[in-house]
Amino acid sequence: MEDTVVSTAPHTGETRGPTAGGPTLPQRRELRTEVPGPRSRELLERKRMHVADGVGNALPVFVVAAGGGVLVDVDGNSLIDLGSGIAVTSVGNAAPAVVRRVQEQVAAFTHTCFMVTPYEGYVEVCEALAELTPGDHAKKSALFNSGAEAVENAVKVARVATGRYGVAVVDHAYHGRTNLTMAMTAKNMPYKHGFGPFAGEIYRAPMSYPLRDGLDGAQAAARTIDVLEKQAGADNLACLVIEPVLGEGGFVVPAPGYLPALAAWCRENGVLLVADEIQSGFCRTGDWFACHDEGVVPDLVTTAKGMAGGLPLAAVTGRAELMDAVHAGGLGGTYGGNPVACAAALGAIEEMRTHDLAGRAREIGALMERRLTAIAAEHPVVAQVRGRGAMMAVELCTPGSTGPQGPAPDAARTAAIAARCHAAGVVVLTCGTWGNVMRFLPSLAIGDDLLEEAFDVVAEAFAATA
Ligand SMILES: *Cc1c(COP(=O)(O)O)cnc(C)c1O
């Protein structure tokens, strides 16, 4: 493959951020074969035989080790990871405090089911959530296995607590792949296509999307509220579920004032505000939660992804009186709040606190914004650089074009750039309703040198596809 770069890394081993996840792994980009290499291709063949085709891969290299900001594959290639397994390994892969606590826990016991015989780790995670999530009111939490499950349970709580059934969501939203959360997710392909019929009583309103609607926060909120009042009726709505910074929908940051205006409307109308912080939470945006940016205090918060350093754990945290509205036994599940996953979360939170990873996310964000702004200045295909903290993106559109919803998305160029980055050993992810957004969400344990090198590769990929 023409893009193969063999051992271009000018720095070897010493490039570390404030934490060194996967402690012994050299922090460098080094390609020994084409990407994917021969052993990965063999494994991919086995995958094709026995894994359902519906389960895809962004980049089919098979990983044997990961740490800090790199992934090492079966062919010995060391790739720079700007995806963090979709915003999960924020503290770095195999972060020391996560590994230590998981090893201790897994050797002590692996499962009892918290609903049968409880254990302390679950309670400790809920204590941490009460402290860290927005607002200083009394809070309680319940733990689950996946983000979608947390969103489903937030809706269950909101319905019982309000006695209403309607659920409001916005355009471009992503809330998961279960039946209820597919209904709440906006995009058809690939998340919903052919999987209906979906759960009812979901009402979708426009979202603030500054690049495409040109509205300020107050105007965009007025438009959202108008649709909800006319098409659902505020009195029928149990909750409004919204990502404070959109994840899969394209890292869209709503115009300033948008979320506070929605929060005020929710409060006035007895509609619970549910912040889906599954992607934006736990230091990703440069604060513990994205809601902190404008001082928005949601009634319920859903968390998952970055919370547990790679182990499956999710939570609903909310006002104590709302969470307690549900009858005994109404919330739970066999594995929810598994002790090993709780230990991992406590380790991840320890890493975030000890190394001020929210501060580190702001530094990483500043570096990425500088590099992406420079790329945008040279390549008019970049319609916007946006994001917050270590959650940055560029949206690619045909320069000077006007489509039915603003500038015409350029998904082909986006895919070509991502493919070039992958071939050169940098893992990048795309997203957005039109598939024309490149998103960058490195581990917060990545070092500056490695990050600069990754963006050298991204800049080369823009130039090579021009
Ligand atoms: C990933 C994600 C979900 C779903 O989480 P899963 O763990 O994949 O079920 C829900 N909401 C948001 C904002 C997400 O980014």
Side-chain angles (χ1 to χ4, degrees):
M1 270 184 213
E2 57 172 346
D3 290 308
T4 302
V5 184
V6 178
S7 198
T8 55
H11 18 246
T12 50
E14 276 64 57
T15 312
R16 294 285 173 90
T19 67
T24 57
L25 215 53
Q27 296 293 294
R28 63 164 176 256
R29 179 172 65 111
E30 181 176 19
L31 297 188
R32 299 194 176 156
T33 70
E34 70 279 15
V35 176
R39 298 201 53 212
S40 276
R41 291 201 303 271
E42 263 174 55
L43 285 165
L44 191 58
E45 208 36 60
R46 278 170 58 196
K47 182 206 159 199
R48 278 202 190 101
M49 297 287 289
H50 294 289
V51 179
D53 286 348
V55 185
N57 308 113
L59 172 56
V61 298
F62 283 74
V63 173
V64 291
V70 301
L71 300 169
V72 176
D73 74 10
V74 285
D75 292 289
N77 300 305
S78 177
L79 295 90
I80 306 177
D81 181 11
L82 298 184
S84 300
I86 318 186
V88 168
T89 52
S90 295
V91 296
N93 231 308
V98 173
V99 172
R100 172 174 48 79
R101 288 187 186 244
V102 164
Q103 284 176 341
E104 283 167 16
Q105 180 58 50
V106 85
F109 66 96
T110 48
H111 175 83
T112 63
C113 184
F114 189 75
M115 300 182 307
V116 179
T117 48
Y119 38 87
E120 186 176 354
Y122 189 116
V123 180
E124 265 186 281
V125 170
C126 296
E127 287 167 348
L129 284 163
E131 185 192 333
L132 299 170
T133 52
D136 48 18
H137 49 276
K139 292 174 208 157
K140 291 194 174 184
S141 296
L143 304 183
F144 304 97
N145 304 295
S146 71
E149 210 189 339
V151 172
E152 293 243 358
N153 279 279
V155 171
K156 283 161 67 172
V157 170
R159 284 179 168 160
V160 169
T162 60
R164 304 172 179 180
Y165 47 75
V167 175
V169 292
V170 296
D171 283 338
H172 311 288
Y174 182 85
H175 297 296
R177 295 171 179 269
T178 57
N179 186 271
L180 175 62
T181 58
M182 277 193 290
M184 295 169 66
T185 290
K187 189 174 174 175
N188 174 50
M189 191 60 100
Y191 308 123
K192 304 168 73 164
H193 189 70
F195 297 142
F198 301 114
E201 291 306 328
I202 310 294
Y203 298 89
R204 191 175 308 283
M207 160 81 182
S208 168
Y209 198 141
L211 172 69
R212 295 186 175 278
D213 62 26
L215 303 177
D216 68 23
Q219 293 165 332
R223 182 178 62 165
T224 303
I225 289 165
D226 186 59
V227 169
L228 293 178
E229 286 184 341
K230 294 295 165 285
Q231 297 185 13
D235 291 352
N236 295 317
L237 290 175
C239 57
L240 165 63
V241 184
I242 189 164
E243 300 155 83
V245 175
L246 292 186
E248 306 304 298
F251 281 26
V252 177
V253 183
Y258 178 74
L259 291 175
L262 291 187
W265 176 81
C266 283
R267 212 163 30 243
E268 282 155 24
N269 291 281
V271 179
L272 301 184
L273 178 64
V274 182
D276 183 348
E277 292 253 21
I278 288 168
Q279 190 150 164
S280 58
F282 280 101
C283 298
R284 178 52 55 190
T285 63
D287 212 330
W288 279 100
F289 291 92
C291 277
H292 282 128
D293 188 65
E294 291 192 278
V296 169
V297 178
D299 299 297
L300 300 169
V301 185
T302 54
T303 51
K305 293 199 165 91
M307 170 160 60
L311 270 79
L313 187 70
V316 181
T317 302
R319 295 184 186 281
E321 70 276 15
L322 301 176
M323 296 299 290
D324 285 344
V326 177
H327 49 278
L331 301 174
T334 307
Y335 295 110
N338 168 272
V340 182
C342 286
L346 295 170
I349 293 167
E350 179 187 327
E351 293 274 345
M352 291 178 203
R353 284 194 160 120
T354 315
H355 302 288
D356 181 22
L357 292 187
R360 180 63 189 146
R362 293 194 292 275
E363 289 172 10
I364 289 171
L367 188 158
M368 294 200 292
E369 190 171 7
R370 170 171 57 74
R371 296 300 305 260
L372 292 171
T373 306
I375 290 171
E378 275 183 47
H379 299 282
V381 73
V382 178
Q384 192 177 42
V385 177
R386 63 175 178 244
R388 193 184 297 152
M391 188 170 180
M392 294 292 298
V394 286
E395 177 158 358
L396 279 68
C397 297
T398 310
S401 64
T402 37
Q405 294 194 55
D410 192 345
R413 179 80 182 276
T414 310
I417 292 166
R420 278 208 78 109
C421 291
H422 291 169
V426 175
V427 180
V428 294
L429 302 176
T430 60
C431 66
T433 294
W434 296 276
N436 67 323
V437 178
M438 300 198 64
R439 59 173 152 174
F440 305 99
L441 35 148
S443 148
L444 308 178
I446 198 170
D448 282 355
D449 291 358
L450 202 61
L451 201 54
E452 295 277 10
E453 187 184 339
F455 279 91
D456 292 345
V457 170
V458 174
E460 277 162 31
F462 270 88
T465 55

